[in-house]
């Protein structure tokens, strides 16, 4: 925990650290987009695909871009470092949803929507009737989104009410080479009010999911959920609803940067899961619930909690070398390192590392030791695998230390990831639905035929 009374804490230092991280990244990475990874494509597209759909192009997007070789992360044309330095989570959510940073008036309207939807009293009431203290927090998050669906008075009869305007996709033999249809063949007419309703669901989810996480946190700590404070920013209110205490400007700023950093990240597993569900014309709540389910895994968002367990297990910088050697001998994964896309230093870790260091310097001796252990582990892992295998710290490596410094318990780390990523999930689903085609890859059948 940060020593709140420390006189040396300086909120402007956060912006300085982010800009310093940007400068370092600019020096270490190239600045021109890589040919072949951006630009319009003509369907059907030819690409080299590895297992786990590695390299597969599943759609076109303007929402965001990740360049793993160079360590870039871009939301709607804006560099992640600049958004962290100069923007807020509300502005970034608007940017992801609509493609542009908001005017003052548009931001006010958007903020009002999110503030209205912070209040999810029925969902909180439903959640209270379950033994949340015995439940995986991500399972509770997923359940909360189902309750939000109910709260939105969704009638649940989506497809049945639709006017069919095309032929049946199921009648097309799927295990064939692609013909490159640019949109769904089996289609429903989407009314104008349906589009407005979809946007409303996005606002509801972005505004309400933090309240679910906060409610889960409180109930697990034996406290009653509390009402949101409409005078607070999105990040400050989230912290307030968790702790019952209005955060300091520093805590608010740190949470805001964390939410901005986690908001979107290309076609990652949870985004893809959310999009697959949405592509069946299921609804936003089912879709976001699937994103939460996928995010839970330790290879994805669940790694942040595991990193903290790992650092506690190593327990001090002196133990790092022998601990790592043991992992290498056993060919085990080191949590918080490596990435499917980044083979360079993850830009999110470039920001979170210095933030963790800054916050740890104002924290208790235990947190400082944890940070020192992390720092030595980073050096040792980079020496062992860095250049050879392109394995560097990812977003999950330092985020846990940052959250711990804010006094947040480990089981809330992955829910916080969801609180942020819901902006990316909804934006990408919204974009995809404009030109929807049901996701349907194929598997290579390697089984038998004509068995008797
Ligand atoms: N520790 C040790 N070795 C690793 C690690 C690691 N964390 N990650 C990858 N490798 C090695 C792996 O053993 C393999 O070596 P070899 O070629 O000798 O067999 C090589 O690197 C390639 O690994 P891969 O499994 O093909 O890589 P992938 O792209 O399928 O997996 C990953 C990506 C994130 C699942 C993996 O790096 C991993 O398991 N990391 C640890 C878990 C973690 O931190 N996850 C959070 C990811 S970031 C949050 C998010 O965006 O979701």
């Amino acid at each position: 925990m940060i020593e709140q009374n420390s006189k040396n804490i300086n909120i402007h230092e956060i912006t300085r650290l982010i800009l310093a991280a940007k400068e370092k990244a600019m020096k270490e990475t190239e600045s021109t987009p890589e040919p072949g990874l951006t630009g319009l494509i003509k369907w059907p597209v030819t690409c080299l695909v590895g297992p786990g759909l590695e390299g597969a192009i599943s759609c076109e997007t303007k929402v965001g871009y990740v360049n793993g070789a160079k360590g870039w992360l871009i939301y709607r044309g804006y560099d992640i470092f600049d958004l962290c330095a100069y923007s807020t989570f509300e502005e970034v959510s608007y940017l992801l949803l609509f493609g542009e940073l908001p005017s003052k008036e548009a931001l006010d309207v958007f903020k009002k929507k999110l503030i209205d939807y912070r209040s999810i009293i029925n969902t909180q009431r439903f959640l209270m009737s379950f033994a949340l203290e015995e439940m995986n927090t991500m399972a509770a998050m997923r359940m909360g989104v189902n309750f939000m669906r109910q709260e939105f008075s969704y009638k649940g009869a989506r497809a049945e009410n639709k006017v069919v305007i095309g032929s049946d996709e199921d009648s097309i033999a799927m295990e064939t080479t692609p013909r490159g249809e640019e949109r769904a063949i089996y289609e429903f007419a989407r009314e104008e009010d349906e589009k407005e309703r979809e946007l409303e669901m996005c606002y509801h989810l972005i505004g309400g999911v933090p309240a679910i996480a906060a409610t889960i946190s409180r109930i697990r700590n034996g406290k009653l959920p509390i009402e949101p404070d409409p005078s607070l920013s999105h990040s400050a209110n989230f912290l307030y609803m968790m702790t019952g205490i209005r955060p300091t400007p520093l805590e608010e700023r740190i949470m805001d940067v964390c939410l901005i950093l986690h908001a979107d990240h290309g076609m990652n597993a949870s985004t893809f899961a959310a999009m697959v569900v949405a592509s069946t014309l299921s609804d936003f709540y089912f879709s976001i619930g699937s994103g939460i389910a996928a995010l839970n895994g330790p290879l994805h968002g669940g790694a942040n909690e595991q990193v903290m367990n790992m650092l506690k297990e190593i327990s001090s910088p002196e133990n790092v070398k022998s601990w790592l050697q043991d992992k290498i001998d056993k060919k085990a994964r080191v949590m918080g390192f490596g990435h499917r896309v980044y083979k360079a230093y993850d830009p999110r870790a470039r920001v979170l590392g210095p933030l963790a260091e800054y916050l740890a310097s104002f924290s208790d001796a235990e947190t400082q030791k944890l940070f020192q252990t992390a720092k030595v582990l980073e050096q040792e892992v980079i020496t062992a695998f860095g250049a050879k295998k392109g394995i560097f710290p990812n977003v999950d490596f330092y985020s846990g230390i940052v959250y711990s410094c804010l006094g947040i318990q480990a089981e809330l780390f992955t829910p916080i990831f969801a609180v942020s990523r819901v902006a990316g999930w909804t934006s990408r689903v919204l974009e995809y639905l404009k030109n929807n085609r049901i996701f349907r890859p194929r598997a290579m059948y390697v089984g038998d035929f004509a068995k008797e």
Side-chain angles (χ1 to χ4, degrees):
M1 286 278 287
I2 314 171
E3 305 288 337
Q4 295 291 345
N5 296 332
S6 176
K7 293 203 171 52
N8 297 326
I9 288 182
N10 176 3
I11 186 170
H12 301 298
E13 182 63 7
I14 303 303
T15 308
R16 198 197 65 73
L17 288 172
I18 295 164
L19 293 176
K22 175 182 176 177
E23 205 181 314
K24 192 160 187 285
M26 305 262 291
K27 272 195 197 130
E28 290 176 12
T29 58
E30 293 171 55
S31 57
T32 43
E34 213 162 313
L37 292 181
T38 56
L40 293 176
I41 47 175
K42 176 136 181 37
W43 300 100
V45 68
T46 305
C47 53
L48 206 59
V49 180
L53 292 182
E54 182 186 16
I57 298 168
S58 57
C59 61
E60 289 166 18
T61 183
K62 290 184 177 171
V63 176
Y65 173 62
V66 186
N67 186 317
K70 301 178 182 195
W72 289 3
L73 175 55
I74 312 279
Y75 297 168
R76 297 277 193 185
Y78 293 92
D79 190 281
I80 191 66
F81 293 110
D82 291 333
L83 291 172
C84 285
Y86 303 119
S87 197
T88 63
F89 181 71
E90 288 93 323
E91 285 173 348
V92 166
S93 300
Y94 184 100
L95 173 72
L96 289 169
L97 280 172
F98 299 107
E100 287 167 8
L101 283 168
S103 64
K104 162 101 181 54
E105 293 72 32
L107 183 63
D108 287 345
V109 174
F110 182 63
K111 276 167 108 169
K112 170 92 176 54
K113 283 276 178 203
L114 299 191
I115 288 170
D116 287 349
Y117 283 136
R118 280 175 194 173
S119 187
I120 48 163
I121 298 162
N122 290 331
T123 295
Q124 287 174 320
R125 227 188 48 223
F126 285 137
L127 282 169
M128 284 172 72
S129 56
F130 290 86
L132 296 188
E133 59 283 2
E134 291 167 17
M135 201 181 276
N136 169 311
T137 47
M138 289 297 273
M141 289 287 288
R142 197 161 168 229
M143 198 167 69
V145 168
N146 276 342
F147 295 145
M148 278 185 71
R149 181 176 191 273
Q150 206 61 32
E151 191 154 6
F152 198 75
S153 311
Y154 203 82
K155 299 288 181 284
R158 193 180 162 113
E160 298 79 58
N161 292 342
K162 294 282 178 287
V163 182
V164 178
I165 58 170
S167 63
D168 185 354
E169 183 124 4
D170 279 349
S171 67
I172 303 161
M174 296 304 286
E175 313 301 346
T176 56
T177 47
R179 300 171 318 169
E181 296 296 344
E182 288 195 15
R183 52 183 301 140
I185 293 166
Y186 184 49
E187 259 219 280
F188 298 105
R190 271 169 87 232
E191 315 285 337
E192 219 28 64
D193 68 337
E194 180 77 20
K195 290 180 192 164
E196 273 171 36
R197 224 169 120 77
E198 283 171 359
L199 257 184
E200 209 63 26
M201 288 188 250
C202 296
Y203 302 146
H204 188 216
L205 284 157
I206 298 171
V209 167
I212 300 179
T215 301
I216 294 167
S217 167
R218 287 187 71 78
I219 293 176
R220 287 175 69 91
N221 286 298
K223 294 180 179 149
L224 286 173
I226 53 172
E227 283 285 287
D229 179 345
S231 72
L232 296 178
S233 72
H234 189 82
S235 303
N237 178 69
F238 173 43
L239 285 167
Y240 167 66
M241 285 185 80
M242 260 195 292
T243 61
I245 300 164
R246 285 173 182 77
T248 63
L250 178 79
E251 290 165 334
E252 176 183 2
R253 175 84 170 105
I254 297 282
M255 180 49 77
D256 211 48
V257 171
C258 290
L259 295 186
I260 292 171
L261 280 175
H262 289 83
D264 185 67
H265 204 242
M267 290 294 284
N268 58 87
S270 59
T271 299
F272 189 50
M275 288 173 66
V276 168
V277 171
S279 82
T280 69
L281 299 186
S282 185
D283 68 50
F284 274 74
Y285 297 91
F286 282 129
S287 159
I288 298 318
S290 310
I292 290 172
L295 188 66
N296 176 57
L299 295 187
H300 194 5
N304 52 16
E305 194 177 335
Q306 307 233 357
V307 168
M308 290 305 278
N309 296 337
M310 174 183 82
L311 293 176
K312 283 179 187 156
E313 182 192 317
I314 301 173
S315 92
S316 92
E318 299 77 55
N319 298 339
V320 167
K321 261 198 162 140
S322 57
W323 181 91
L324 182 62
Q325 193 53 54
D326 184 51
K327 292 286 160 197
I328 294 173
D329 294 345
K330 291 179 176 150
K331 295 196 182 320
R333 301 265 154 142
V334 185
M335 288 292 136
F337 286 90
H339 201 275
R340 168 61 60 80
V341 180
Y342 290 120
K343 300 303 167 199
Y345 209 110
D346 184 330
R348 301 166 300 173
R350 282 188 191 274
V351 173
L352 289 166
L355 287 194
E357 181 167 19
Y358 182 65
L359 294 178
S361 70
F362 297 109
S363 302
D364 52 32
E366 197 187 322
T367 311
Q368 289 182 26
K369 198 158 101 180
L370 221 58
F371 177 78
Q372 291 310 329
T373 307
K375 209 59 207 155
V376 175
L377 183 61
E378 172 181 338
Q379 284 154 12
E380 293 294 333
V381 171
I382 292 179
T383 308
F385 306 121
K388 204 165 51 183
K389 289 192 181 178
I391 294 176
F392 297 93
N394 60 45
V395 67
D396 287 328
F397 189 59
Y398 286 111
S399 61
I401 299 180
V402 171
Y403 295 143
S404 294
C405 290
L406 295 183
I408 298 171
Q409 290 156 327
E411 70 250 24
L412 258 290
F413 295 172
T414 318
I416 295 175
F417 202 148
V419 162
S420 162
R421 187 57 60 85
V422 67
W425 290 330
T426 47
S427 302
R428 290 200 179 242
V429 165
L430 204 62
E431 179 189 58
Y432 191 74
L433 284 179
K434 289 192 185 128
N435 201 19
N436 184 54
R437 191 168 194 224
I438 189 168
F439 279 105
R440 183 38 165 106
R442 64 185 178 122
M444 186 59 78
Y445 180 67
V446 292
D448 299 322
F449 288 99
K451 265 191 172 170
E452 285 183 19

